[in-house]
Every structure is written in C-alpha cells, then in structure tokens.
Amino acid sequence: MVVSWLKGDSPVTRRNLCIAAASPAVVLPLRAAVRGDEAMYVGGTISSVPEKTEGRLDLSSETEGRFNAKKGTFGFAYKKITSIEYGQKAGRRIGVALAVNPLFLFSKKRKHFLTIGFADEAGKTQGAVLEIGKGNVRTVLSVLETRSGQKVEYESEDARKHAGN
C-alpha cells in the first residue's frame, strides 16, 4: 500500500506524504541558538533587561559596549570590565530529531556563553551572561580583551580551541 502511495495511485500522493512528514517541523516550535550578530541576555545582575531577552551586542564604540534590545538596554565601559569568561554548552538536537529526522540525534548544537563582570557608573559590581553567535565568538573576545586590557578566562580547553587560542 505504501508503494501505491508513493506512485501516486491513491488519494495519498507523494505531495501529501511530504506535507504530512514536514508538518511536525512547522507545528513544534524549535529554538535555535543565536546567530550572526544577535545576542541574548541570559541573566545576571542587570535589572533593566529581563532574562532571556534577545538583542544585539554592539562593540563598535571605542569606549563602551552596549546590549540593545526592544525590552531593555545596558552598557559597560571597557575600562571598567573586571572579568571576561567564555564557555560552551553542547546539547543534543532532540527537538529537531523528534520533529524532522532521528538522525539529528547524532549531531550536537553548541551554545556560546560570554560572562562579563564590570563596574557600573555608580561603581557597583555588575555581571551579565550573554549567549553570542558562533561566528562572532573570536571577534567579540578579541575586541573585549583589547579594549578592556583583561584576559579572557576559558571554561574548558574545547572553549579555548573554538575561540582560536
């Protein structure tokens, strides 16, 4: 019977079969890691930005970096950065495997986390954990190290290798 479906001999055509196979991918919401110059404020001591807020990390200024999002924004002077940490978290693509193809269980997704410790304008110690895009890691770390004078601390040897150090 499946062979006849694939030949198009029954009301269930190849097109209908493809639509049925793809529909779980459309129905199930899949959250990918941030991409490009996007960033996500995961959490920290910044009260003006809610946790898990997506936005952009702007490091174009020579004196300060900014996280800009619709839900809030914050900035940090490079010279007031006290620590920079970088790490990765690898996880299986279970949602994609269930929705699209079980072969995705054999692939991993990596999320890239940047933790910045800094003093705000009032001199109070602040901390922000940001998820940054994979393609931005080297640039972001290089800019922060150069402009702040602080060395990046790596969570693991894998994280160091990914960052190119």
Side-chain angles (χ1 to χ4, degrees):
M1 181 142 189
V2 172
V3 174
S4 67
W5 287 354
L6 294 176
K7 289 181 181 177
D9 296 338
S10 78
V12 181
T13 64
R14 272 185 261 169
R15 179 176 174 261
N16 291 343
L17 192 59
C18 289
I19 290 169
S23 64
V26 175
V27 174
L28 293 175
L30 302 175
R31 171 67 180 107
V34 295
R35 299 184 188 281
D37 62 347
E38 295 175 352
M40 180 192 300
Y41 174 70
V42 178
T45 60
I46 310 300
S47 59
S48 62
V49 181
E51 291 182 359
K52 298 184 180 177
T53 296
E54 293 184 32
R56 300 208 182 278
L57 181 61
D58 180 5
L59 302 178
S60 60
S61 168
E62 295 290 324
T63 57
E64 77 166 3
R66 295 203 64 76
F67 176 79
N68 299 308
K70 290 179 184 175
K71 295 181 180 179
T73 185
F74 68 90
F76 50 91
Y78 297 127
K79 295 300 176 193
K80 293 189 176 187
I81 290 176
T82 57
S83 65
I84 306 167
E85 297 176 20
Y86 169 71
Q88 300 174 329
K89 180 183 176 195
R92 297 280 177 202
R93 298 178 187 262
I94 295 172
V96 176
L98 292 174
V100 180
N101 188 334
L103 293 177
F104 278 103
L105 282 174
F106 298 106
S107 69
K108 289 183 182 177
K109 63 180 174 181
R110 289 192 188 272
K111 292 185 177 186
H112 306 271
F113 294 99
L114 170 69
T115 304
I116 305 171
F118 61 96
D120 65 12
E121 293 173 356
K124 184 177 175 186
T125 301
Q126 301 288 345
V129 179
L130 301 168
E131 181 182 343
I132 57 176
K134 169 180 150 179
N136 247 2
V137 171
R138 290 181 180 151
T139 304
V140 167
L141 295 179
S142 176
V143 167
L144 290 175
E145 264 190 344
T146 302
R147 293 185 179 163
S148 71
Q150 297 291 323
K151 289 288 181 191
V152 174
E153 295 178 34
Y154 296 93
E155 166 229 18
S156 67
E157 201 53 42
D158 278 345
R160 182 183 301 278
K161 287 178 187 175
H162 180 80
N165 291 327

